[in-house]
């Protein structure tokens, strides 16, 4: 079986963040780094070339495929901030209705800039995702 494309690396998080050219995105990434670090108490680890992840969980599908992935994290992409809330199929419509301007994908929350959202609600959503993962998967600090 093929491994996941996104794997933890030994790349330096601070060096990655220092290379962000978009000033607002760079400042928001620093805020998110602090927020995730405080919420999780786990070290920030680069996953692939552009995702800052926190924690790791193990999964196994009925097909027998198994692996691990980050519990939560973010990526300061050119188009928006991608916030990874695992797993992405749960109904988070109530807190999302209070968050502010955003878009959603399967396991991603897309935010243009942190000024567009309520940070307390974002923290609530992140904590909710971590709690779910800890209740349902084998989770480690990475």
């Amino acid at each position: 079986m093929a491994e996941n494309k996104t794997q933890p690396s030994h790349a330096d998080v601070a060096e990655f963040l220092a290379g962000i050219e978009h000033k607002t995105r760079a400042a928001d990434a620093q805020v998110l780094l602090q927020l995730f670090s405080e919420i999780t108490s786990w070290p920030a680890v680069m996953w692939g070339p552009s995702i800052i992840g926190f924690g790791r969980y193990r999964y196994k599908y009925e097909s027998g495929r198994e692996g691990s992935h980050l519990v939560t994290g973010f990526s300061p992409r050119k188009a928006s901030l991608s916030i990874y809330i695992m797993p992405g199929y749960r109904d988070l419509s109530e807190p999302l209705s209070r968050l502010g301007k955003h878009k959603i994908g399967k396991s991603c929350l897309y935010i243009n800039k942190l000024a567009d959202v309520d940070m307390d609600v974002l923290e609530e959503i992140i904590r909710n995702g971590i709690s779910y993962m800890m209740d349902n998967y084998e989770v480690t600090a990475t």
Side-chain angles (χ1 to χ4, degrees), residues 107-119:
S107 293
C108 290
L109 177 61
Y110 301 105
I111 298 169
N112 187 38
K113 58 186 178 295
L114 292 181
D116 291 341
V117 299
D118 182 317
M119 291 300 291

Side-chain angles (χ1 to χ4, degrees), residues 52-139:
I52 299 170
F54 297 82
R56 180 190 295 224
Y57 75 98
R58 299 243 1 118
Y59 61 85
K60 184 172 184 176
Y61 297 131
E62 289 182 19
S63 67
R65 177 177 166 80
E66 60 183 294
S68 65
H69 205 272
L70 58 103
V71 173
T72 192
F74 68 95
S75 182
R77 304 219 186 259
K78 285 187 180 186
S80 64
L81 297 165
S82 296
I83 313 289
Y84 297 95
I85 309 295
M86 306 295 180
Y89 297 103
R90 294 178 306 121
D91 180 15
L92 295 174
S93 57
E94 193 283 320
L96 288 173
S97 72
R98 297 182 283 114
L99 180 61
K101 187 176 176 184
H102 70 278
K103 294 180 183 177
I104 56 172
K106 287 185 179 181
S107 293
C108 290
L109 177 61
Y110 301 105
I111 298 169
N112 187 38
K113 58 186 178 295
L114 292 181
D116 291 341
V117 299
D118 182 317
M119 291 300 291
D120 290 334
V121 176
L122 179 59
E123 180 176 347
E124 176 186 336
I125 291 168
I126 295 166
R127 286 185 184 279
N128 179 289
I130 294 167
S131 178
Y132 179 90
M133 296 305 291
M134 293 182 80
D135 288 346
N136 292 282
Y137 295 90
E138 176 186 331
V139 172

